[in-house]
Amino acid sequence: MSDQNDIVNKADRNKIYFLVVVIAALLGTNAYLFFKDKHQTERYANVSTEKDRLKLEVEKIEVELDKVNALNVTLSDQLIKEQGLAREKIAQLKLALQQGQLTQEDLIKAQEQVKELREFVRTYNETIIKLEKENLRLKSRMDSLRASANSAAMHAAELEQQNSELNARVKTSSALKAANVTVVAYRVKSSGKNIEVTKAGSAKKLSVSFDLVPNPLAQKDYHKIYLRVFDPAGNLIANENNMFEAEGQEMQYSSSTSISYNDDNTSYTMDWINPNQFMKGTYAVILYADGYTMGRSEIALR
């Protein structure tokens, strides 16, 4: 009887040991699964956090590139190419992060790419800042050169104006001037002899005599002399085809001649035959030479 009880107790103890082992195994399995699930959850959380961080970092890099472009600095072909490659890489990273299908290995690779982009942007920014400073320096130099050029142009214009005024004064000073201008009316006999008259009815021509004022600036050469005659009514008596320039404008002249000027006190005379009948009253005569008024006089006929 005692032996049977011992056999029963031994069988019960074996069952208890087995149950303990099973329970321990189950507990171990549950613990393994718990910690594995916890690790995967933490790992997933870490991956998600890293994705968000990388996404934010990529967006910051893109903003930095946009800020650099806003500086409106002229870029070289190499810089434009490098920026284009960077933007392509940014677009690829943004797409991969948006799709969310990134393994831990992909994240590590993305981290390296972001690191490279960050370094590129840093170097790129430094290059752009240098270019901007250089552009400002060149602009300042160009402004200075432009100001100097404008100043030189203004000075040149002033000198040109002064030179023009000086040339005008020289030209005016070198023009011949007449003195002792006198006008005499004549009738012409059939023999060709000139008889001085004072009556309009018998006058046929006017003879204008004048001396030349000594002028060392005047050219010792032939000078064209123009005569304009105005009747008592103030009308110019001239052929409409006879034109010359004086006092800055085109004029008609009644008669012209050429004289040789040698600055030797020579006296000169110009004859003018009236194509019309003389009228009673005062005739005015004006002489021109070298583009300026040379002298004037008048004669009254009864």
Side-chain angles (χ1 to χ4, degrees):
M1 186 70 178
S2 176
D3 292 337
Q4 290 180 348
N5 289 334
D6 290 339
I7 294 171
V8 171
N9 290 334
K10 186 176 181 181
D12 291 337
R13 283 196 299 269
N14 289 336
K15 290 179 180 179
I16 292 171
Y17 291 150
F18 176 76
L19 289 174
V20 169
V21 171
V22 170
I23 291 170
L26 289 173
L27 289 175
T29 301
N30 289 337
Y32 169 77
L33 292 175
F34 171 77
F35 286 111
K36 181 180 179 182
D37 182 67
K38 182 179 180 182
H39 178 71
Q40 288 178 341
T41 302
E42 291 176 350
R43 184 179 179 185
Y44 176 79
N46 290 336
V47 169
S48 179
T49 302
E50 184 62 19
K51 280 170 53 181
D52 292 339
R53 190 188 68 78
L54 288 176
K55 182 179 179 182
L56 181 61
E57 189 70 22
V58 169
E59 290 175 350
K60 286 171 61 178
I61 291 172
E62 190 172 26
V63 169
E64 286 295 321
L65 281 177
D66 292 338
K67 285 170 60 178
V68 171
N69 286 346
L71 295 176
N72 197 26
V73 176
T74 302
L75 303 178
S76 65
D77 293 340
Q78 181 63 28
L79 285 175
I80 293 173
K81 181 179 179 181
E82 290 178 357
Q83 183 189 142
L85 292 174
R87 288 193 179 276
E88 288 180 8
K89 188 174 292 185
I90 288 171
Q92 292 171 1
L93 280 171
K94 288 177 68 177
L95 180 62
L97 291 170
Q98 286 173 359
Q99 291 176 347
Q101 298 177 351
L102 293 176
T103 63
Q104 188 67 29
E105 183 180 349
D106 293 333
L107 281 177
I108 294 173
K109 184 177 179 181
Q111 288 171 348
E112 289 297 322
Q113 290 177 335
V114 169
K115 183 178 179 181
E116 291 175 2
L117 281 173
R118 193 184 300 111
E119 180 63 22
F120 165 77
V121 170
R122 185 188 66 78
T123 306
Y124 186 78
N125 285 348
E126 290 178 355
T127 303
I128 297 302
I129 290 172
K130 288 180 181 179
L131 285 174
E132 186 180 23
K133 290 181 179 179
E134 181 66 15
N135 284 350
L136 289 175
R137 187 183 69 81
L138 290 175
K139 183 179 182 299
S140 177
R141 185 177 179 185
M142 286 295 295
D143 291 342
S144 177
L145 290 174
R146 190 178 292 109
S148 298
N150 290 338
S151 177
M154 290 177 62
H155 185 59
E158 290 175 359
L159 289 177
E160 185 177 0
Q161 179 66 24
Q162 293 174 4
N163 188 49
S164 297
E165 292 173 355
L166 179 60
N167 288 338
R169 287 198 294 269
V170 169
K171 188 175 181 180
T172 302
S173 300
S174 63
L176 295 178
K177 298 297 179 183
N180 304 319
V181 182
T182 59
V183 184
V184 178
Y186 291 99
R187 69 181 179 88
V188 181
K189 297 179 67 175
S190 59
S191 61
K193 184 178 180 179
N194 295 325
I195 306 296
E196 182 177 348
V197 297
T198 57
K199 291 183 179 181
S202 57
K204 182 59 180 175
K205 70 176 185 177
L206 297 180
S207 184
V208 183
S209 300
F210 56 90
D211 299 328
L212 291 179
V213 177
N215 185 355
L217 295 178
Q219 290 186 351
K220 293 181 179 180
D221 199 353
Y222 283 94
H223 293 257
K224 191 82 170 182
I225 309 299
Y226 296 94
L227 172 68
R228 304 182 82 202
V229 180
F230 296 86
D231 65 19
N235 299 313
L236 174 66
I237 306 173
N239 187 321
E240 62 180 11
N241 294 323
N242 294 338
M243 303 295 296
F244 76 110
E245 185 176 342
E247 311 293 350
Q249 59 182 324
E250 291 287 329
M251 298 182 181
Q252 292 178 329
Y253 63 88
S254 305
S255 179
S256 68
T257 188
S258 292
I259 63 171
S260 177
Y261 175 72
N262 294 304
D263 199 14
D264 55 2
N265 298 319
T266 302
S267 295
Y268 301 89
T269 299
M270 288 186 67
D271 289 337
W272 172 73
I273 297 175
N274 191 351
N276 308 314
Q277 291 292 322
F278 278 97
M279 300 183 297
K280 291 182 179 181
T282 301
Y283 282 79
V285 298
I286 304 177
L287 293 166
Y288 295 85
D290 304 321
Y292 296 93
T293 301
M294 182 179 176
R296 65 183 67 217
S297 187
E298 59 184 28
I299 183 172
L301 299 177
R302 296 182 287 111

